[in-house]
Amino acid sequence: LRHLVKWAVIIRWSLPRVYLLLPLFNLGLLSAALVCVCASAGRHLGLALVLAAAAFGSRALVALLQDRLVGEGALPLPWYAALAFMDLGAVGFWVAGFQSEILWRGVRYRLSWGGHAEVVEKC
């Protein structure tokens, strides 16, 4: 997990504009947001739930097909259901990317725009 957070921070400071747009490409997050908006508006909740189920289901189905057709075998089916919710979990790593410091190989770095890093301390 620390490794993923470290890379989220590096990517955020190296490509800030792209990083800010990443949630717009997370189908799980967009589906959940659609359900919340429709529920709060009191309109089209059924359609939003169907679209969210399609988004989450397609995520699992594509992974299953990829593993069976190209991979070395499929995982147990419950693992594919978990994939649908992993997209939502990725939001946590996106938020963690807004830190400005990382620890790498015993050295703490402070990152700045353009991916520049300065040594803060050697641990």
Side-chain angles (χ1 to χ4, degrees):
L1 295 177
R2 288 183 188 138
H3 180 77
L4 293 174
V5 169
K6 177 185 71 172
W7 277 107
V9 173
I10 291 169
I11 294 167
R12 190 256 191 248
W13 285 101
S14 299
L15 302 166
R17 290 183 185 106
V18 172
Y19 195 79
L20 289 174
L21 295 175
L22 284 178
L24 298 176
F25 297 97
N26 185 320
L27 192 55
L29 178 61
L30 293 175
S31 298
L34 176 66
V35 169
C36 290
V37 167
C38 290
S40 67
R43 301 181 61 193
H44 307 294
L45 181 58
L47 178 60
L49 290 170
V50 168
L51 291 173
F56 290 131
S58 67
R59 173 80 162 101
L61 181 62
V62 166
L64 174 68
L65 291 174
Q66 181 180 359
D67 285 351
R68 287 190 184 232
L69 298 175
V70 182
E72 295 183 20
L75 297 170
L77 287 178
W79 287 56
Y80 294 102
L83 281 176
F85 299 100
M86 290 176 75
D87 286 342
L88 296 176
V91 174
F93 289 107
W94 182 79
V95 171
F98 284 90
Q99 301 176 59
S100 61
E101 293 184 0
I102 60 169
L103 181 63
W104 186 55
R105 294 186 178 177
V107 179
R108 184 172 305 283
Y109 296 92
R110 180 174 298 121
L111 281 80
S112 60
W113 297 115
H116 300 285
E118 65 177 276
V119 175
V120 174
E121 70 176 310
K122 294 184 180 184
C123 305

